[in-house]
Structure formats: structure tokens, C-alpha cells
Amino acid sequence: MNKEKVAIFGLLFVALMAVITVVAHMACIPLGEACYRAQLAPEFLIESARQGTLLAPIATVFVSGLFALCAAYALAGAGYMKRLPFTKLALMTIATLCTLRGLAGIGGSFVLPELVTLFSVVASVLWFACGIFTFLALKWLPSIPPLQSNTATDT
């Protein structure tokens, strides 16, 4: 498999992980407190879900929207949908955040081992992989022009 195919596969994997994350997060709205707790949500969101306030569902929709945006940019970078504004910058941001999220979770496992669950380890490894895949796509895909590009589609 050549580098370009690996990069496209990687971006499709990133999009899939982001879509799964959207579905998982949105499931917390009807499923409630137990779902937020299972997904390691911050305590204030779990408490909001328990009390039935609007904070938890509004925060969930907002965060899910960010993950949906990540999926859209990954698909655009892979060439599976129309190019979006600031694609290069968005993919650089996604690559950095995913890599940092993965490293933080893995590193945090050594600092706070009592908080380690199978879910937290798997999530950290998957997000780290998403970050690496996105960095590789930025390097290997000629269809993603450099940031300094003056093309009308990159503004």
C-alpha cells in the first residue's frame, strides 16, 4: 500500500472515530447520568444529567458538533467530500489535539493509575492513532496544499 492510500485510510479512520464519538456522546442525552458516568464525563455534567438541568445536553450537543466538524474535515482531507475552508489548518489542529489527547491519557495512566479503565486506555490509544494518521495525511497527501497556499479554496 502506498503512502497516499495509507493517508486516505487514516483520515477515513479519523472520520469514523469522530462519528462514533458523536453517536456515543449524543446517546448520553436520552440515557442520562449512567451514560455520562460511563464515558468519564466531568462531575458537573453528571450532576446536571442527574438533576435534569440543561447544562449536560447543551454541552453534549456542543461537543458532539465539534466531533462532527472533525469528521467533516477528515473526509474533506481524504477527498470524500468538498474541500472546506481552512482545511489544512483544521487538520493540523485535529492532529495536534488528538495526539495530545492520546499522550495525556497514556501519561495520566502512570500518574493516576486508580483512574485507569479499559475504556480510558483504549480511547487514549485510538485518539493518539488518529493524531498520527492525520499528521501522516498532512505530510503524504498532495491534495492538501501547504498552509501558505494562496488558492481560493484554502481561505
Side-chain angles (χ1 to χ4, degrees), residues 122-138:
V122 169
S124 295
V125 169
L126 287 174
W127 287 119
F128 181 76
C130 286
I132 298 303
F133 277 137
T134 307
F135 276 125
L136 291 176
L138 287 163

Side-chain angles (χ1 to χ4, degrees), residues 33 36 41-51 53 55-60 63:
E33 176 189 356
Y36 283 99
E43 195 58 43
F44 70 92
L45 286 182
I46 295 169
E47 188 60 26
S48 169
R50 190 181 68 71
Q51 293 177 358
T53 67
L55 177 61
I58 289 171
T60 300
V63 169

Side-chain angles (χ1 to χ4, degrees), residues 60-113:
T60 300
V61 169
F62 177 75
V63 169
S64 295
L66 293 176
F67 280 107
L69 202 55
C70 289
Y73 272 103
L75 290 172
Y80 280 80
M81 63 180 280
K82 186 179 176 200
R83 188 162 170 78
L84 298 170
F86 304 108
T87 298
K88 177 86 171 193
L89 180 61
L91 290 175
M92 289 173 61
T93 302
I94 291 166
T96 301
L97 291 176
C98 287
T99 303
L100 290 175
R101 163 57 179 92
L103 289 174
I106 294 166
S109 298
F110 295 107
V111 177
L112 298 168

